[in-house]
Amino acid sequence: MKLKDLAEQLGASFTGSGDLEINGIKDLEHHTPVDPNSIYYVASKKYLAKHKKASDVKIALTIDSLASQFPHAIIIPEEGSKVKFIQVVSLFEKKPSYNAYVSEKASIHPTAKLGKDVTIMDFAVIQENVVIGDRAVIFPNVVLESNVEIGDETVLKSGVVVYYNCKLGKRNLIHSNTVIGADGFGFYDYSGVRYKVPQIGNVIIGDEVEMGAHCTVDRAALESTTIGNFTKFDDHVHVGHNCRVGNYVYIAGATVLAGSVTIEDGCFLAGQSAVAEHLTMKKGSILMGLSGLTEDSKEKTAYFGIPARPALEMHRIHSSLPILPELAKEHSKRKKQES
């Protein structure tokens, strides 16, 4: 792609040779020499100063104040520059291409209803009364149990399993080996007998949701476990039964929600965090990595630690830890003197 053509697609101006061929987009953080035929995203002075290799960049996707640093540059607005970066990455993305088709090797129940231009690949299993929306893509070895509904343009990668009666909205992307709708962890011990509590609810997922590989979302005991629109999961996220996860939520890898947790809109849960049962994370609150929330959060407040407390308070506590041994010695001396 020529530099001038890429600039035109972005609605941006450029400096240098418009006829220069760009073969792709690369990252300065990789331990490889700078490629003179690739474009690099450099949109802040801090990033430019951090990477010594930036001085070798020949073609940059950058802002006006930095454009003079590079022989060839596509100039994008500083505000929202990351959106332009995303557009460039999309233009160079090489997705496998295929025409919509239904494989003869798939097992599809006669009662299943398939929308227009649906793709169902080898060895997928579609059980009775499943509904699949237009242009949905079902990869190999996906299992959709009875009465599942899949919205338009949703993509289920290989090995995804959706249990009976669960519903997924439009334009979702569910990565490999994620399981939606398994039984919640419901048991009751009485008089030496362990009873399993029937999990007769389901999971309902909104639109534009993405789940990474190996996620699990348990069905509700009686009603629905719900995931809101535009919510994004990393890999290895677990959502317990009866949870309510709102819109525009981010949940990073290895995070666990116990049963009946409510995560309101716009929350962020960092990696390896956990929320205890029946708690609520209020709108816009943050649970930092390796933290365990044991009480309801406040809106737009960051929490850290085990048990998690407001981050500013916890950082003050942590900054006091180095002096605790000396304070303990002084306390011991006083005790001896008093005795």
Side-chain angles (χ1 to χ4, degrees):
M1 183 183 300
K2 291 184 178 181
L3 184 143
K4 63 183 180 183
D5 296 332
L6 179 55
E8 183 179 353
Q9 290 194 57
L10 296 175
S13 60
F14 67 89
T15 60
S17 173
D19 291 322
L20 184 68
E21 286 289 340
I22 301 174
N23 296 333
I25 183 166
K26 290 193 174 180
D27 190 345
L28 283 175
E29 294 183 10
H30 284 285
H31 300 291
T32 54
V34 169
D35 182 353
N37 298 114
S38 292
I39 193 168
Y40 290 81
Y41 174 59
V42 184
S44 73
K45 291 181 179 178
K46 184 178 179 181
Y47 189 82
L48 184 63
K50 178 181 176 182
H51 296 283
K52 294 180 181 179
K53 292 191 297 181
S55 60
D56 298 328
V57 168
K58 304 300 181 187
I59 314 168
L61 180 69
T62 190
I63 57 178
D64 187 57
S65 60
L66 298 180
S68 62
Q69 304 286 326
F70 308 101
H72 312 276
I74 294 177
I75 302 170
I76 54 178
E78 187 167 357
E79 184 177 351
S81 67
K82 195 65 176 282
V83 174
K84 295 296 184 182
F85 164 75
I86 292 169
Q87 290 176 4
V88 173
V89 174
S90 298
L91 290 170
F92 286 106
E93 185 178 17
K94 296 178 181 179
K95 287 185 177 180
S97 60
Y98 47 81
N99 296 320
Y101 72 98
V102 177
S103 171
E104 294 180 356
K105 296 178 182 178
S107 174
I108 303 174
H109 196 275
T111 60
K113 296 179 180 178
L114 309 184
K116 296 178 182 177
D117 299 322
V118 165
T119 297
I120 301 178
M121 300 185 188
D122 295 354
F123 309 115
V125 177
I126 315 298
Q127 295 184 353
E128 60 270 20
N129 300 316
V130 167
V131 177
I132 300 178
D134 298 345
R135 297 173 299 284
V137 180
I138 311 299
F139 273 72
N141 300 309
V142 168
V143 177
L144 304 181
E145 294 188 357
S146 59
N147 301 302
V148 161
E149 295 182 16
I150 304 295
D152 296 349
E153 299 178 32
T154 282
V155 176
L156 305 181
K157 292 286 191 172
S158 299
V160 168
V161 178
V162 184
Y163 281 47
Y164 60 96
N165 299 337
C166 294
K167 300 179 181 181
L168 281 68
K170 299 177 181 178
R171 294 176 296 281
N172 289 337
L173 173 57
I174 311 297
H175 287 277
S176 293
N177 299 315
T178 284
V179 177
I180 296 168
D183 283 355
F185 193 61
F187 299 91
Y188 178 70
D189 292 352
Y190 180 74
S191 190
V193 178
R194 178 160 289 176
Y195 295 90
K196 178 179 173 65
V197 179
Q199 306 289 296
I200 65 173
N202 69 346
V203 176
I204 298 177
I205 296 174
D207 300 334
E208 306 278 358
V209 172
E210 181 165 344
M211 294 184 182
H214 296 279
C215 293
T216 50
V217 182
D218 286 350
R219 69 195 311 107
L222 300 178
E223 298 182 11
S224 298
T225 300
T226 60
I227 311 293
N229 300 328
F230 295 96
T231 284
K232 311 296 181 183
F233 289 9
D234 196 357
D235 299 338
H236 297 281
V237 170
H238 174 68
V239 177
H241 63 179
N242 307 322
C243 286
R244 304 284 189 270
V245 179
N247 304 315
Y248 291 95
V249 172
Y250 280 116
I251 305 182
T255 292
V256 175
L257 307 184
S260 301
V261 164
T262 298
I263 308 293
E264 294 185 351
D265 295 351
C267 289
F268 187 103
L269 290 82
Q272 294 186 306
S273 58
V275 182
E277 67 275 5
H278 300 283
L279 295 183
T280 297
M281 281 189 68
K282 300 292 180 63
K283 288 183 180 180
S285 59
I286 297 169
L287 184 58
M288 298 170 70
L290 294 168
S291 297
L293 192 68
T294 57
E295 60 182 26
D296 292 350
S297 75
K298 297 178 181 177
E299 285 192 11
K300 299 180 181 178
T301 302
Y303 286 78
F304 173 65
I306 302 174
R309 305 174 82 153
L312 292 176
E313 177 186 341
M314 186 57 80
H315 287 314
R316 285 195 294 268
I317 291 170
H318 279 198
S319 67
S320 302
L321 291 177
I323 66 172
L324 288 182
E326 197 60 37
L327 290 175
K329 285 181 182 178
E330 292 179 12
H331 179 71
S332 181
K333 286 179 183 178
R334 288 200 195 100
K335 283 288 187 183
K336 289 179 180 179
Q337 290 171 357
E338 290 173 0
S339 60

